[in-house]
Amino acid sequence: MAQVPHDHHQRTLVAPAICAGVGVHSGRRVRLAVRPAASGTGIVFVRTDITDRDNRIPVTGDAVVEARLNTMIRNSSGVELSTIEHLMAALCALGVANAVIDVDGPELPILDGSALPFVQLLDRAGFRRQEAPVRYIEILEPVRVEEGDKSAVLLPCDRYEMRFEIDFPTAVIGRQVIDFSVDERTFRDEIMAARTFGFAHEVEALREAGLARGGSLENAVVIDGERILNPGGLRMEREFVRHKALDAIGDLYVLGAPLIGRYEGVKAGHAVNNKLVRALLARPQAWRETVRTPDYALAG
């Protein structure tokens, strides 16, 4: 496994990481290449299939424009890319601060519905330490958003922590809670392999809306009443809430840096997470950029 110990410097890749797969909503086959980039580049997606206008989409909180069932970004020329959250979660957890990602379609490949294939892809490419220190976004004051019975909050904390709670009226899921420190080891051991999930009765409606065209039992956990349709069942205990946490890590990394703070989500999805990102950006007194080391990194 091509891990590099975190020494609080920015990271990029040693070599390009390339894969191909199907977009879960578009059903289109796309090719993806994550390439090394210089310090200060951040995460930048490039739609290589678009050549008549600016096809670069730097990832920022302001770039997120759609958050119904996935996270979509758009640049000032109207070029869009969707379903970035699983790769963004992998980049965040593995400490990749700088990368240019070429993709030849409108949506990232869903692969197996988790971040595991992206982590494996990045591991094979290897990681390179850069001279610039890691920048963090430190939460100084609570920031909270609500949408019906869904909520998300960012709280001051001396490291990056996350608590997530879901509650579904089916015994297959029910109420599930996870509370953990967002670091590379925990992500690898407990989060990255958790797959996206959905309900069989929703699939037809999604497809009529032009979504989930590439969805299958190969890339999602599908629930029908009180049954899980996937032949292998679940990969782990509380896989559903673990995946929601995975999504949140990716959704928050659009801020361009990992957090020193605590995220708490209740039934939150991409829309609520993006609302939280925008609420944070609208309150500059509630956060600051810092290069100080989180407490768990000091202990390590």
Side-chain angles (χ1 to χ4, degrees):
M1 200 177 285
Q3 295 187 56
V4 173
H6 281 291
D7 59 3
H8 323 309
H9 284 254
Q10 293 182 20
R11 276 171 147 184
T12 189
L13 299 183
V14 172
I18 299 169
C19 72
V22 171
V24 67
H25 292 302
S26 65
R28 281 182 53 175
R29 186 166 178 80
V30 287
R31 186 172 180 273
L32 176 82
V34 187
R35 304 188 185 281
S39 291
T41 302
I43 307 299
V44 179
F45 287 94
V46 181
R47 282 282 305 274
T48 58
D49 57 318
I50 291 178
T51 57
D52 62 340
R53 55 203 149 125
D54 181 14
N55 62 0
R56 292 172 60 87
I57 317 173
V59 177
T60 65
D62 293 330
V64 179
V65 292
E66 175 62 47
R68 182 185 168 194
L69 295 171
N70 63 77
T71 296
M72 178 188 287
I73 53 175
R74 179 190 297 149
N75 69 10
S76 58
S77 298
V79 176
E80 296 177 342
L81 182 67
S82 63
T83 320
I84 66 168
E85 57 272 11
H86 300 167
L87 175 57
M88 290 295 291
L91 294 169
C92 178
L94 273 55
V96 177
N98 304 294
V100 174
I101 304 159
D102 295 340
V103 58
D104 66 355
E107 181 180 24
L108 263 58
I110 190 64
L111 303 179
D112 76 347
S114 78
L116 173 60
F118 288 122
V119 171
Q120 293 171 330
L121 185 73
L122 298 171
D123 279 345
R124 285 195 296 272
F127 305 101
R128 179 166 60 82
R129 174 187 183 275
Q130 298 178 292
E131 286 308 309
V134 176
R135 293 183 309 106
Y136 295 91
I137 290 176
E138 182 178 8
I139 305 303
L140 303 176
E141 299 176 4
V143 177
R144 180 181 180 87
V145 296
E146 295 182 359
E147 205 171 84
D149 63 348
K150 303 171 184 176
S151 67
V153 61
L154 288 170
L155 301 166
C157 185
D158 56 12
R159 60 182 185 173
Y160 192 179
E161 293 182 350
M162 181 169 287
R163 182 187 187 276
F164 213 106
E165 177 182 340
I166 59 173
D167 194 354
F168 284 85
T170 168
V172 174
I173 305 178
R175 180 176 179 270
Q176 298 185 2
V177 178
I178 189 169
D179 197 324
F180 62 102
S181 172
V182 183
D183 55 52
E184 180 173 351
R185 177 173 295 176
T186 305
F187 186 81
R188 288 179 181 274
D189 292 346
E190 302 180 19
I191 304 297
M192 70 178 182
R195 295 163 293 174
T196 192
F197 62 94
F199 297 89
H201 69 270
E202 295 176 347
V203 171
E204 196 54 44
L206 287 172
R207 287 186 174 160
E208 285 176 7
L211 299 169
R213 291 173 175 168
S216 73
L217 296 178
E218 299 297 315
N219 54 41
V221 177
V222 180
I223 301 144
D224 186 10
E226 301 302 319
R227 294 185 306 132
I228 292 171
L229 299 184
N230 304 63
L234 296 178
R235 286 180 172 174
M236 63 191 78
E237 179 196 13
R238 293 176 291 160
E239 182 169 359
F240 303 103
V241 73
R242 293 177 197 273
H243 184 80
K244 297 292 281 186
L246 187 163
D247 278 346
I249 294 168
D251 288 345
L252 294 173
Y253 200 43
V254 301
L255 288 163
L259 298 180
I260 299 178
R262 178 174 172 85
Y263 166 95
E264 295 183 354
V266 177
K267 302 182 182 180
H270 299 298
V272 171
N273 291 336
N274 181 238
K275 195 173 177 181
L276 182 64
V277 164
R278 289 182 178 275
L280 181 70
L281 293 176
R283 287 184 51 195
Q285 76 278 11
W287 60 280
R288 68 179 176 189
E289 273 196 15
T290 181
V291 294
R292 87 171 179 86
T293 305
D295 278 11
Y296 63 78
L298 286 169

